[in-house]
Amino acid sequence: MCGIVGYIGDREATPIILEGLKKLEYRGYDSAGICTLTEGVAEIRRSEGKLVNLERLVTTQPLTGRIGIGHTRWATHGRPSEINAHPHQAGPVIVVHNGIIENYLSLKDQLKGAGHSFKSETDTEVISHLIEERLIETGNFEQAVRLALQELKGAYAVCVLCEREPGTMIAAKQGSPMVVGLADGEYFVASDIPAILSHTRSMVFMEDGEMSVFRDGKATFTTIAGEPLVKSPRHIDWSPLMAEKGGYKHFMLKEIFEQPRAVRDTVAGRLVEEDGTVYLEDLKLDDAELAAIERIYIVACGTSWHAALVGKFLIEEHCRIPVEVDIASEFRYRNPVVNDKTLMILISQSGETADTLAAMREGKARGAKNVAVCNVVDSSIAREANGVIYTHAGPEIGVASTKAFVTQLTALYLFAIKLGRTIGTIDTAKGQAMISALVRIPALLEETLKLEPQVEKVARRYMNARDFLYLGRGINYPIALEGALKLKEISYIHAEGYPAGEMKHGPIALIDENMPVVILAPKNSNYEKVVSNMEEVVARSGRVIAVCSQGDEEIKGKAEVTLEVPRDFDDLAPILLSVPLQLLAYHVAVLKGTDVDQPRNLAKSVTVE
């Protein structure tokens, strides 16, 4: 979500960097900064808020220099402020950074022991001090960066300058995007293509574990350990809009493929695996307040309501507190039983959903405490809530929610761990196991996304169906609802989601040889029941599309089509099962020629009742 721009060449760096940061504003941010080097002296300008504030500062306090780095920041460690904005400097070393350093606290303690003094609340400042410490030991800037990076755990894209080598810029990545632009005698570094597309279309895409050094008009590429690499540039022939889409045909598809990164960003810096708990920096409810909770209401609309249903399963299973899930537009019109021992969890991607905001105010008036699960910092719901669990999905442009949904599921899972550890229903060992499973999810999402070519073939096979039925059980039943909603939203095909056990109470009358039935059948405690429901569909000539666990041979003998997803911790299956359903809706819509990113009659944020 943050943005990086770096430049080294024969032109003034400041206007190039500011222009690049403007092109990255769509990613979302809450502060910005820039650094240039002139004759071995670094000058830094930083400001909280929008980029225009930094531009005003640079106008009154100009920067010169033909090498520089800039950054837009979305706060993770440390509140939005000038002191927490990037770049961060330690001695002669200046750093900008995207991502989250998971072991920054232990590194910070070591560095304090070595005499380093910290000014900010960020994990990024640890990187600058760590490089400075290794520079003191080695006397070599490049080697100091290599050694420091090998000590970091987590995700990062960094761009580094050093006053002792004013003609050198170093960039590296692990888990966060970074692209290098090549031009005649000058080089550009950015976290996304739009930032530098106006200057060059010759791009080198850095991979995890790689480092680039720009010095004396040359660029060298190596592994972080120092092994030489040969990198071939690619010519990018994109329009500005295509660039923002990262080369994907639609924002929705781009956002589906961003889900591993979105989940990784949502959990990063919040996991205390050793203690089997999580740190929710903006929750603002102390342990005593959490322990006093006797009932929870989760209130939301649309896709967020489906996330709320999953949250009910998670919290009741692991925390043993009763949870009610309400559609926000109904909540305040039914005289809900709410008091000062009630916690309301309000879920809204935008933080501006009118019905959800009204429900929160109604609950507050009745004495309930509340927590928002929200993707937009300082939105209305986030501002008014007692506490917030921010999802770090990044801006979601497509109207049909994808990455915001899976990060909402992730946030609710984090809250369940936090609450369970606080009230004692989750012990250390169980907390560690739950966290360990969550850490594996981004990689499993990446594996699940490899289903896309297969899903596209499925979409071609069933695209002309008039109706779809989606079935699931237990914690996965809300994902059946969500899959049906996605198909309705963007393809305009009628679809219904049901708990699989409810099929015989009505929907079974619709099943015939023309009805595709999407059945969520991962191997879990409900597996045999789901298989039984599947057999009922097959017996009535229904066309079964089964989303099942990898290697499930029993399902293959019953379904027309199987889409196999990895199996891990059952409580996290909703995240993985969501992906093929999103892809199915997307490809059916594309084949039918609908407007995928802006379906008719829908808005991204419903800000009126």
Side-chain angles (χ1 to χ4, degrees), residues 60 76 103 151 258 320 325 339 414 435 447 449 478 507 517 547 579 600 606:
T60 58
T76 52
N103 61 333
E151 296 181 60
E258 286 177 336
R320 308 310 297 156
V325 177
N339 57 35
L414 290 171
I435 289 171
E447 186 177 349
L449 285 164
V517 182
V547 185
V579 172
R600 67 191 182 201
V606 183

Side-chain angles (χ1 to χ4, degrees), residues 97-242:
H97 160 236
N98 288 349
I100 298 201
I101 306 306
E102 296 172 6
N103 61 333
Y104 87 101
L105 285 175
S106 59
L107 291 171
K108 190 172 186 177
D109 288 341
Q110 294 173 23
L111 291 163
K112 283 182 176 179
H116 290 257
S117 178
F118 290 81
K119 299 176 182 177
S120 77
E121 302 165 312
T122 69
D123 55 343
T124 302
E125 191 182 0
V126 169
I127 304 173
S128 58
H129 283 276
L130 187 60
I131 295 172
E132 181 195 20
E133 183 68 16
R134 300 299 168 254
L135 181 61
I136 293 169
E137 296 168 358
T138 65
N140 183 296
F141 174 40
E142 183 178 335
Q143 183 65 8
V145 173
R146 293 188 191 281
L147 292 172
L149 293 180
Q150 291 177 67
E151 296 181 60
L152 303 180
K153 294 180 182 178
Y156 59 79
V158 295
C159 201
V160 191
L161 302 179
C162 182
E163 290 177 324
R164 294 186 190 175
E165 292 193 29
T168 300
M169 180 171 69
I170 297 176
K173 79 169 291 274
Q174 178 66 46
S176 290
M178 179 162 281
V179 61
V180 173
L182 313 177
D184 187 14
E186 57 185 1
Y187 298 94
F188 308 81
V189 172
S191 49
D192 209 349
I193 292 170
I196 56 178
L197 193 60
S198 62
H199 299 286
T200 179
R201 292 180 180 267
S202 181
M203 308 278 185
V204 172
F205 293 86
M206 295 181 64
E207 303 293 336
D208 286 351
E210 293 184 354
M211 187 169 112
S212 55
V213 180
F214 309 93
R215 182 190 293 125
D216 300 327
K218 297 179 181 179
T220 58
F221 296 90
T222 66
T223 66
I224 289 171
E227 300 171 5
L229 297 171
V230 176
K231 302 286 288 185
S232 299
R234 287 170 51 189
H235 179 77
I236 306 299
D237 189 17
W238 291 350
S239 68
L241 182 60
M242 287 176 64

Side-chain angles (χ1 to χ4, degrees), residues 394-460:
E396 189 176 63
I397 308 302
V399 168
S401 182
T402 53
K403 63 178 181 174
F405 174 66
V406 300
T407 56
Q408 288 169 353
L409 299 181
T410 303
L412 290 165
Y413 186 85
L414 290 171
F415 177 77
I417 297 173
K418 170 66 177 177
L419 180 59
R421 290 291 287 126
T422 300
I423 65 177
T425 56
I426 297 175
D427 62 19
T428 301
K430 183 177 178 181
Q432 289 171 334
M434 293 177 71
I435 289 171
S436 179
L438 185 56
V439 169
R440 294 191 292 269
I441 285 295
L444 295 178
L445 278 169
E446 289 169 353
E447 186 177 349
T448 305
L449 285 164
K450 294 176 184 177
L451 287 170
E452 192 208 359
Q454 185 181 349
V455 175
E456 184 176 7
K457 292 178 182 177
V458 174
R460 289 186 183 278

